[in-house]
Amino acid sequence: MATAHRLFGPEQDFALSLRDVGKRFGALVALEGIELDVRVGGRHAILGANGAGKTTLFNCITGDFPPSSGRIRLFGEDVTDRPAHDRIRAGLRRTYQTSRLFRGLTVEENLFLAEQGVAAGRFSMRPAARDHAHRVRARELGEYVGLARLLAAPVADLAHGQQRQLEIGMALAGRPRLVLFDEPAAGLSAAERGDLVGILEDLPRQFTFVIIEHDLEVALRVADRVTVLDQGRFFAEGTPEEIEADPRVQAIYLGEGDG
């Protein structure tokens, strides 16, 4: 099995910090006064009901939406005004609630394109041989997320849970330092959720991730810090045990669907 050190590289001393981040869409206040620190190697979950602003927050971090106010730092660098592709080069990746896989290609081809897409020579038109470094790493990533036997399978033939595993593998391309997982357990069976939890728990500690998730059990199992978002504002943060016992969280965490 591919080793975690070879897949993700040595430890890095970087972090994610948000300071007074806000996002408005006209008169609608989607986010306001967001303060967040994610430690190096941290596993941070963000919970919230439908419409709380979770995905909007991810979009601000990745650069898909510019924040209306506040500052965003990735790995110690202020990236507030930098485009999304610069943040990718800095080591940021994400998954999406809606699948963005190439369904007509194989598992290995999807992973290869993800690896090639963040590489310096990503615009090369020369076909890659089987021993090309990006193809080798694509197979390693497939093994890492439990798809070693399905590398030649078309994505369209995969079960929903297997497609989610593939999305995680693609997000890990290019040795990222921070990945944002946007509801990776959505639509998974109980067994598939168990597989997902295993993959996330096995990620090496030099690798940082933030997860937004409606499945409370999944989020609390994989996170060591949890923040709760309600109507665009953070109102609670603590350990999984503290958050699970908080009656305010139980009262608010009832929604489903896109955040």
Side-chain angles (χ1 to χ4, degrees), residues 45-117:
I46 297 176
L47 306 180
N50 180 37
K54 303 184 300 299
T55 296
T56 298
L57 177 60
F58 268 20
N59 287 335
C60 287
I61 295 170
T62 60
D64 292 338
F65 294 164
S68 303
S69 60
R71 310 305 296 177
I72 299 171
R73 286 184 174 271
L74 293 175
F75 320 118
E77 297 183 29
D78 190 327
V79 299
T80 310
D81 302 316
R82 289 169 58 180
H85 63 265
D86 276 358
R87 305 182 197 202
I88 292 172
R89 290 172 186 164
L92 177 66
R93 307 284 188 275
R94 74 170 294 180
T95 66
Y96 291 85
Q97 291 184 36
T98 303
S99 175
R100 299 195 175 191
L101 301 173
F102 299 101
R103 294 177 57 82
L105 300 181
T106 67
V107 168
E108 182 177 340
E109 288 167 341
N110 272 261
L111 291 166
F112 168 76
L113 289 175
E115 187 70 25
Q116 179 85 352

Side-chain angles (χ1 to χ4, degrees), residues 197-239:
V197 167
I199 291 171
L200 296 180
E201 287 181 331
D202 286 344
L203 289 172
R205 274 287 169 175
Q206 70 263 30
F207 176 89
T208 305
F209 71 74
V210 181
I211 181 172
I212 57 177
E213 183 53 68
H214 272 295
D215 190 313
L216 188 64
E217 182 180 359
V218 168
L220 296 181
R221 282 183 63 187
V222 302
D224 45 37
R225 296 292 294 177
V226 182
T227 304
V228 183
L229 185 66
D230 180 44
Q231 298 182 4
R233 284 182 167 273
F234 286 155
F235 82 96
E237 183 173 327
T239 65

